[in-house]
Amino acid sequence: MDFRTTSYKLDSGEISQTEITNQILNLPCVYGIFQSQSKIFCLEVNNKQSSSEITVVLLYSSLKLAVEATNSFQIPNDWYVAQWSEVEESLQACLELDVDAVAFDSLPCDESLSGLVIDKDSLKELIWLSLSAK
């Protein structure tokens, strides 16, 4: 699934939170953009709801979107796209970072990001759901 329009679909009632959760948990893999084994690409963005700056780690549901992101964000050449074969592992790794949220399939769109942004509390719940589904 491409999560770039998920927030809109959720707000308009085209998709439910349960469907989104299931789609995330059933991804065959997750991609991130890294500079080294421990440095994943994050953005400092302005949260329009609270008017505060937050740190968001970017994850991608497909290699195509991850590569598109490297071009859109003008990622330096020494960064690379890496794959997690287990969704739970990617979510757990993000939880351990000093970030405020995770964004799936985010690309720049004018002065905002497309994609699905999940706050840290929801990320914890998603991890718990992935563990209980096993």
Side-chain angles (χ1 to χ4, degrees):
M1 161 149 198
D2 182 337
F3 293 96
R4 288 180 287 182
T5 60
T6 302
S7 295
Y8 170 77
K9 289 179 180 179
L10 184 61
D11 290 343
S12 66
E14 291 179 46
I15 193 167
S16 71
Q17 186 173 350
T18 302
E19 290 172 299
I20 295 168
T21 299
N22 288 334
Q23 289 180 4
I24 291 172
L25 295 178
N26 289 310
L27 286 171
C29 59
V30 175
Y31 297 91
I33 303 167
F34 289 83
Q35 184 177 32
S36 64
Q37 285 186 330
S38 61
K39 186 169 182 177
I40 190 167
F41 183 64
C42 298
L43 287 178
E44 298 289 325
V45 297
N46 185 33
N47 182 344
K48 292 179 183 177
Q49 294 173 337
S50 66
S51 297
S52 63
E53 198 164 272
I54 62 172
T55 303
V56 179
V57 64
L58 303 180
L59 298 178
Y60 294 90
S61 62
S62 74
L63 180 58
K64 179 183 176 204
L65 284 174
V67 170
E68 188 176 336
T70 63
N71 294 328
S72 297
F73 290 113
Q74 299 176 353
I75 305 291
N77 289 336
D78 60 334
W79 289 65
Y80 61 93
V81 174
Q83 173 187 334
W84 276 285
S85 57
E86 295 288 329
V87 174
E88 178 190 326
E89 288 177 15
S90 68
L91 300 176
Q92 188 64 44
C94 291
L95 184 62
E96 294 170 4
L97 298 172
D98 185 24
V99 297
D100 301 298
V102 172
F104 275 91
D105 297 342
S106 290
L107 296 171
C109 183
D110 296 323
E111 292 191 21
S112 62
L113 289 175
S114 62
L116 174 66
V117 178
I118 301 170
D119 65 24
K120 205 147 192 174
D121 289 335
S122 298
L123 179 60
K124 289 176 187 176
E125 185 177 337
L126 195 57
I127 292 168
W128 180 83
L129 289 169
S130 71
L131 291 171
S132 64
K134 288 186 172 186

